[in-house]
Amino acid sequence: MVKIVDSIMGSGKTTWYMEYVNRYPEQKYIIVVPYIEECNRILEKCKERGFVQPETKDMPSKSASFHELLRMRHNIVTCHALFVCLKLTEEEIALIEQERYTLIVDETPPVAEELRLTENEIRALRSSGAIQIEEETKRAKWSGGKNFPNIASEVRRELERREYYYENESLFWTLPERLITAFAECMVFTFMFTGTHFEAYLRAKDIGYEVYHLADGELAIGEPSLREEKARIRTLLDICDNEKWNRIGEYEPRGRRPFSISWWKNSKQPDRVRAQKNARCFFQHYGAKAGEAMWTLPARIHEEKNCGIKDYASAFCPCNLRATNAFRGARYLAYLLDIYEPPVIKNWFAARGQMTNERVYALNMLVQWAWRSVVRDGQIIHLYLPSQRMRNILYELTGG
């Protein structure tokens, strides 16, 4: 049974589980956090519990280091990126069960991802013999060969790192369920759990769960009441209503979606330049210094099309960056995105009878990103959100 602790960012979830770990030293723990800096925080705050993190020193890889630390029955703290790629052996599963390890996961981990290849690229890989698909399991396996496309080297690294399966002309990875079910107790700390991919994953895999929330520093059963949270969030968000700056994000004919990834890819350069200039004007309106600003747009567009905001290059924060304190001083935010679920992932869940909520997905991405800033400490933030759709979704949360 998975215990979901659903409370808003900054409500003390991390503090609660660190105190829990220190209160019950007889238990064994594996703690999974999104980023290295959070690992260091656990090492410091739970020093007496003797936590260690996987390192490449004297080991061929961090994965190999993790397996060695587990064999030695250590308390371990590691990052999502390593944990979700682990391939536990039967012996390790037995050891986890024998030692009754508790798994603590800070923020929901990724549960489903597509290897970004076109159908033609997958056909080329298969026909060249670079990959083979197991007939019974549909697992994709690297088989090598001399004649294969240039992309095969990247595919090889991914297939050796994680287990992908062939489905609907795609190579698809899902979180191995034994990384959850092997543990005597599993606690996942998140916010707005209902309607998320992680909830759909647990249902699809028939993994039981119970939802709790933090109330006055203690766990209380049931989902949190968002009424009070909505009122509090509403007082902390100053959403930009400048018509001139927001006009670029209004709904367009023929189904165009301003600030979506496809819009950024296909829009004309004047539109992209205008979006960036509007964000700069927004920052300048408030006299924002680089250390007080935070902005985002699709990371690939940021790199490939050299998109950025003049004088605020260092304030770029990827839209999927979570559980980091690097932007905790930011109070002027520009979210230049309109978020949609990846269709392949949405269809994978649908094929297993799990309907996800695209608006919840978009809202979750936005809120998780925004809560990297001073709002986490209960301070007001000024938010430029030019996408009309995203503003409407945020207004639904705040009641604005």
Side-chain angles (χ1 to χ4, degrees):
M1 181 70 70
V2 178
K3 185 178 291 183
I4 306 294
V5 182
D6 187 342
S7 289
I8 195 168
M9 294 74 65
S11 61
K13 297 192 297 291
T14 304
T15 299
W16 186 93
Y17 73 67
M18 288 192 298
E19 290 177 352
Y20 178 88
V21 167
N22 289 326
R23 193 182 308 134
Y24 299 103
E26 70 279 2
Q27 296 180 204
K28 295 283 188 181
Y29 298 94
I30 294 177
I31 299 180
V32 184
V33 296
Y35 293 99
I36 289 292
E37 63 181 34
E38 296 298 311
C39 288
N40 296 334
R41 184 182 177 192
I42 302 300
L43 294 175
E44 174 64 26
K45 298 297 184 180
C46 303
K47 188 179 298 183
E48 294 184 4
R49 300 285 74 79
F51 274 89
V52 290
Q53 62 179 323
E55 296 181 348
T56 53
K57 183 180 179 180
D58 300 325
M59 297 297 292
S61 66
K62 285 190 176 182
S63 178
S65 175
F66 180 96
H67 292 294
E68 179 65 13
L69 293 175
L70 179 60
R71 187 186 67 80
M72 296 174 68
R73 293 166 170 78
H74 280 294
N75 287 328
I76 303 171
V77 59
T78 189
C79 295
H80 286 184
L82 175 61
F83 183 76
V84 300
C85 296
L86 292 174
K87 300 174 183 178
L88 298 178
T89 66
E90 294 297 327
E91 291 77 10
E92 288 171 330
I93 294 290
L95 186 153
I96 288 171
E97 294 174 347
Q98 175 186 340
E99 296 294 327
R100 297 190 61 79
Y101 268 90
T102 292
L103 176 66
I104 295 175
V105 185
D106 194 334
E107 306 286 6
T108 55
V111 295
E113 292 179 2
E114 177 192 16
L115 187 56
R116 292 188 176 276
L117 296 169
T118 66
E119 292 183 16
N120 288 336
E121 287 172 334
I122 293 176
R123 291 193 194 100
L125 286 165
R126 296 186 67 185
S127 62
S128 70
I131 64 172
Q132 293 183 349
I133 308 299
E134 293 180 346
E135 185 174 349
E136 184 175 344
T137 65
K138 299 300 180 184
R139 180 185 172 188
K141 298 190 70 173
W142 175 258
S143 57
K146 294 182 179 180
N147 300 315
F148 49 79
N150 294 332
I151 57 170
S153 58
E154 295 181 25
V155 175
R156 177 182 182 177
R157 283 195 296 271
E158 273 300 306
L159 295 187
E160 291 177 345
R161 192 170 74 95
R162 302 194 295 191
E163 294 184 353
Y164 283 83
Y165 295 85
Y166 182 68
E167 185 171 333
N168 295 328
E169 307 298 327
S170 299
L171 292 178
F172 205 79
W173 167 86
T174 57
L175 180 69
E177 58 193 272
R178 297 184 80 178
L179 288 177
I180 302 293
T181 59
F183 292 84
E185 184 175 19
C186 174
M187 294 187 283
V188 179
F189 294 78
T190 187
F191 178 52
M192 295 194 303
F193 167 74
T194 301
T196 62
H197 286 174
F198 192 66
E199 182 191 34
Y201 168 84
L202 294 178
R203 290 179 179 272
K205 297 291 186 178
D206 197 26
I207 300 173
Y209 63 87
E210 291 180 338
V211 180
Y212 295 77
H213 65 278
L214 283 179
D216 298 323
E218 299 294 335
L219 281 192
I221 195 164
E223 296 181 2
S225 171
L226 288 181
R227 179 178 299 178
E228 294 181 4
E229 293 294 357
K230 283 183 178 181
R232 187 166 74 91
I233 291 172
R234 190 161 54 244
T235 65
L236 297 175
L237 299 183
D238 175 25
I239 303 172
C240 177
D241 60 1
N242 185 297
E243 293 184 6
K244 180 180 178 181
W245 296 339
N246 285 339
R247 193 173 299 127
I248 191 175
E250 294 177 355
Y251 294 130
E252 298 182 12
R254 299 184 301 278
R256 292 190 66 194
R257 300 170 173 177
F259 292 95
S260 65
I261 292 178
S262 61
W263 182 87
W264 277 105
K265 286 181 178 178
N266 303 320
S267 61
K268 297 178 181 179
Q269 185 176 5
D271 288 335
R272 296 197 299 271
V273 171
R274 181 182 167 200
Q276 295 165 76
K277 283 185 175 180
N278 285 351
R280 184 168 183 259
C281 287
F282 166 78
F283 288 141
Q284 289 179 328
H285 172 75
Y286 287 101
K289 299 176 183 178
E292 299 174 315
M294 185 170 83
W295 60 273
T296 196
L297 50 73
R300 189 170 295 180
I301 300 298
H302 178 238
E303 297 169 1
E304 295 177 359
K305 296 187 180 294
N306 196 29
C307 288
I309 300 177
K310 186 179 178 181
D311 301 325
Y312 295 95
S314 62
F316 175 73
C317 176
C319 64
N320 59 351
L321 188 63
R322 302 168 71 175
T324 176
N325 294 321
F327 293 90
R328 200 151 188 166
R331 64 181 69 251
Y332 307 104
L333 283 58
Y335 196 81
L336 309 182
L337 276 171
D338 183 18
I339 295 290
Y340 294 86
E341 284 183 287
V344 172
I345 294 178
K346 185 175 182 177
N347 294 337
W348 185 88
F349 282 121
R352 289 154 179 80
Q354 304 303 319
M355 299 299 107
T356 54
N357 188 319
E358 194 156 58
R359 296 176 77 81
V360 169
Y361 177 81
L363 179 61
N364 203 294
M365 292 287 287
L366 169 59
V367 170
Q368 292 283 355
W369 180 84
W371 250 254
R372 303 305 107 208
S373 66
V374 297
V375 72
R376 190 182 186 93
D377 298 316
Q379 300 181 42
I380 294 174
I381 58 170
H382 305 274
L383 175 63
Y384 176 47
L385 189 60
S387 165
Q388 184 180 4
R389 172 177 172 269
M390 292 298 291
R391 284 200 309 278
N392 290 340
I393 291 174
L394 184 56
Y395 287 144
E396 289 176 11
L397 171 66
T398 63

